[in-house]
């Protein structure tokens, strides 16, 4: 695996939701020094600072930016 692609869509009235299991996948990718791509911006949440701390590449809905 070279990278992780997180598809964060709206869920239950939460914008660009990223749940606990996905957070753990992001963490594992970071630990293994893999690229982390996130489709939409990271919405403000209890874990948003941690997610952004992993330095993901935010695609802003444009998957053509996956490199």
């Amino acid at each position: 695996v070279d990278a992780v692609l997180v598809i964060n869509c709206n869920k239950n009235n939460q914008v660009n939701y990223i749940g606990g299991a996905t957070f753990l996948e992001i963490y594992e990718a970071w630990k293994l020094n893999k690229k982390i791509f996130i489709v939409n911006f990271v919405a403000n949440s209890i874990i948003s600072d941690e997610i952004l701390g992993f330095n993901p590449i935010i695609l802003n809905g444009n998957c053509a930016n996956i490199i």
Side-chain angles (χ1 to χ4, degrees):
V1 174
D2 294 323
V4 150
L5 174 63
V6 176
I7 302 173
N8 56 328
C9 301
N10 298 344
K11 180 180 179 184
N12 298 330
N13 296 322
Q14 293 181 340
V15 175
N16 299 341
Y17 175 78
I18 296 176
T22 303
F23 176 79
L24 290 175
E25 293 292 337
I26 294 169
Y27 171 72
E28 286 297 320
W30 175 79
K31 257 184 26 178
L32 296 171
N33 201 31
K34 303 297 180 180
K35 287 185 178 182
I36 302 164
F37 296 98
I38 301 180
V39 172
N40 298 305
F41 72 89
V42 177
N44 191 22
S45 72
I46 194 167
I47 59 173
S48 58
D49 288 341
E50 287 79 5
I51 293 170
L52 293 173
F54 296 134
N55 297 314
I57 299 164
I58 309 297
L59 300 171
N60 294 313
N62 185 357
C63 290
N65 292 331
I66 296 175
I67 53 171

